[in-house]
Amino acid sequence: GVGAVCCWSAGNIMVREIELPSLWLAFWRMVIGAVVYTAVLLIKGQRLRWPEFKACITVAALSGFWFATFFEALQSTTIANVTMIGALLPVVLFAVAARKFAEPVTLWLVGMCFVALAGLALVLYGSTGLDTWSARGDLFALVTLVLWSATFAMTKSVRQHVGALEFQATVWIVGAVVLAPVATISTGGIVWPSGVTWAWVAAMLAVPGTGHLLMTWAHRHVKLTLTSMTTLAVAPLSMMGAAIFQDEPVVGLQIFGAVVVMVVLVLVIRREARIDQTTSKDETPLVEGVGEPPV
């Protein structure tokens, strides 16, 4: 989860460097992803089977639109705003984690989440006076939050039955198919990347795309509450990256809020790790000398 967060944070900065409409950026990234991941499966002697492909179709289609709205938001308003609004993900998913996956959501965890959100609010408030801020971009960020919450939770369910590589290959294939007609209608034709832009699109697959693979893998091994909490780090990391590499202004209020978020995240991860270790020690083997079989 932590590796995925680092990759996503870098990807948020990269989007600003790509001169493509958001729909076409999402489409071409998915096309490259479909080719690469399908090739990897074939090299490994694996293939996409219809039952697995069918199980991923809905979440894959939603992922296509999520990418498009997310890229549009990043190109329209401040990176800090987009990532801060996206950081509301844990709040949305706590109820899902408790009901659908029977994960314990304690008052301490909820309290820590709201402390982190207070820090995020400081960052958001500090950026509203900037020239790069846009209400339209913030609206797209809200739509992205809804789509991301749905795909995040659905991925957790699908990953119980589908391998990480198979899942990602399906996401790229279905996402490209879904976005193709929408992108074509929106621009009145196909928008082809230039030579340099192709390199940037490929980099988007290599960096944030790898983040998606890492998080997809983590969904089968880590609780939804914890993976969603790790995404809180995307906002402050992206904000710092935007300030360093794109000269996006950062005020003291934003820095303070980012520190609050990071401290909360460290506390939550350390506490969850201790709980998991204690639970693991207390588990009784199914057969003497044999532990619980891997999921």
Side-chain angles (χ1 to χ4, degrees), residues 208-253:
T210 298
H212 289 291
L213 177 62
L214 292 173
M215 187 60 78
T216 297
W217 178 87
H219 271 304
R220 190 165 181 176
H221 305 278
V222 184
K223 291 185 292 186
L224 185 64
T225 49
L226 184 55
T227 53
S228 64
M229 283 294 287
T230 60
T231 63
L232 287 171
V234 173
L237 289 175
S238 297
M239 182 186 71
M240 289 186 289
I244 295 171
F245 297 105
Q246 296 188 332
D247 297 323
E248 187 170 286
V250 178
V251 299
L253 198 62

Side-chain angles (χ1 to χ4, degrees), residues 41-119:
L41 284 174
L42 293 175
I43 291 172
K44 293 185 65 176
Q46 300 172 243
R47 61 187 178 86
L48 287 175
R49 294 175 295 181
W50 173 244
E52 295 176 332
F53 188 86
K54 182 179 179 181
C56 301
I57 288 179
T58 302
V59 64
L62 284 176
S63 295
F65 290 111
W66 168 70
F67 275 112
T69 57
F70 183 54
F71 293 160
E72 181 64 28
L74 285 172
Q75 292 176 348
S76 302
T77 190
T78 66
I79 291 176
N81 279 34
V82 177
T83 53
M84 289 300 149
I85 292 172
L88 293 170
L89 178 71
V91 178
V92 178
L93 290 183
F94 275 177
V96 177
R99 288 192 173 190
K100 190 173 180 62
F101 302 104
E103 295 181 8
V105 179
T106 63
L107 288 176
W108 183 89
L109 190 60
V110 173
M112 286 295 98
C113 181
F114 277 99
V115 172
L117 288 176

Side-chain angles (χ1 to χ4, degrees), residues 121-286:
L122 294 178
V123 179
L124 193 62
Y125 178 77
S127 65
T128 54
L130 301 177
D131 293 336
T132 51
W133 174 79
S134 162
R136 175 177 176 275
D138 284 2
L139 179 60
F140 270 102
L142 285 172
V143 174
T144 299
L145 172 63
V146 175
L147 293 174
W148 191 24
S149 300
T151 57
F152 208 88
M154 292 172 68
T155 298
K156 175 76 173 176
S157 296
V158 173
R159 274 286 289 124
Q160 309 308 309
H161 315 287
V162 181
L165 283 175
E166 290 85 350
F167 176 83
Q168 284 301 134
T170 304
V171 165
W172 303 135
I173 293 171
V174 174
V177 171
V178 169
L179 287 180
V182 180
T184 302
I185 292 173
S186 69
T187 57
I190 300 175
V191 177
W192 294 88
S194 63
V196 175
T197 305
W198 275 118
W200 277 110
V201 175
M204 286 293 294
L205 177 67
V207 181
T210 298
H212 289 291
L213 177 62
L214 292 173
M215 187 60 78
T216 297
W217 178 87
H219 271 304
R220 190 165 181 176
H221 305 278
V222 184
K223 291 185 292 186
L224 185 64
T225 49
L226 184 55
T227 53
S228 64
M229 283 294 287
T230 60
T231 63
L232 287 171
V234 173
L237 289 175
S238 297
M239 182 186 71
M240 289 186 289
I244 295 171
F245 297 105
Q246 296 188 332
D247 297 323
E248 187 170 286
V250 178
V251 299
L253 198 62
Q254 291 176 295
I255 296 174
F256 178 75
V259 171
V260 171
V261 171
M262 297 303 291
V263 170
V264 169
L265 182 59
V266 170
L267 290 175
V268 169
I269 292 177
R270 289 184 62 182
R271 185 174 184 273
E272 290 295 316
R274 287 198 300 269
I275 292 174
D276 289 343
Q277 288 177 356
T278 302
T279 303
S280 178
K281 291 178 181 178
D282 292 342
E283 287 178 349
T284 302
L286 298 181

